[in-house]
Amino acid sequence: MKLELLLLGILGVQPATGYDLKKFFDSHGRFLRSSTQMSQVYRALAKMTDEGWVRYEVAPRPGAQDAKTYHVTPEGMTVFLDWLTGPYLPPTVFTEPEFAARLSFSGFMTDEQLLRLLDIELTARKDQVTRFEGRDLTFEHTTAFPYDSERAVAVGEQLHQWGNAAVRDHIRRLGALRTDLLNGRLRTSLADNAVARVSGEAEVSG
């Protein structure tokens, strides 16, 4: 997915410098996009400024290069929301980052828009399990090069089982999220999870 869309979303939550944006992709947003370089961030910001999607304010810094703090413009927010709440086509591999990226910006969605996104993903993954879980994995091995077919079959079966388990867990978690959203428990359950995680980290560090 395009870096510009992620940057618009991040800046929509809070204005930031290019350096701050790079730090975000190195930590909190590490799994939304792999290997984001500083040069890529600045090129995208320059393009977005030219398009009128962002503007910046300059803060003078004595003895150092002036810092530019970027803000999303109304036009930029329109571009971002058109993507965020627009058509979603689930990819073949459910771990590709677009779905998680959209969920990460769910604060910009209505409950109805979030529910629609969850339903699209759930329907696609359930259909995927129905169609492919029991598929024939037989593969003809005719290579003339050294090749351990028994090992290949055994490892392939493990990969198949891991994939099935992962997508079923994905479906289960999506269902739980959907239920919490419909029952008005989403904020409470997430807050409880955050408290439990912090408590667990405190126990480990102690």
Side-chain angles (χ1 to χ4, degrees), residues 4 44-54 73 75-76 79:
E4 290 84 355
L45 289 171
K47 176 183 176 182
M48 293 157 63
T49 301
D50 291 341
E51 295 285 352
W53 298 352
V54 300
T73 66
E75 182 179 353
V79 171

Side-chain angles (χ1 to χ4, degrees), residues 5 10 36 47 74 77 81 85-86 105 132 140 152 175 181 184:
L5 293 171
I10 299 164
T36 302
K47 176 183 176 182
M77 183 54 64
L81 292 176
T85 62
F105 297 115
F132 299 114
E140 189 70 26
L181 177 63

Side-chain angles (χ1 to χ4, degrees), residues 176-198:
L177 179 59
R178 185 182 189 279
T179 298
D180 283 346
L181 177 63
L182 288 174
N183 294 340
R185 296 200 306 263
L186 181 58
R187 290 170 177 80
T188 301
S189 65
L190 292 181
D192 290 344
N193 288 339
V195 171
R197 184 175 64 251
V198 171

Side-chain angles (χ1 to χ4, degrees), residues 4-16 21 45 48 53-55 70-74 76-78 80-81 84 104-105 107-108:
E4 290 84 355
L5 293 171
L6 295 177
L7 293 175
L8 287 172
I10 299 164
L11 293 174
V13 175
Q14 182 176 0
L21 292 167
L45 289 171
M48 293 157 63
W53 298 352
V54 300
R55 62 177 179 82
Y70 290 85
H71 303 253
V72 177
T73 66
M77 183 54 64
T78 297
F80 172 72
L81 292 176
L84 182 65
S104 296
F105 297 115
F108 289 109

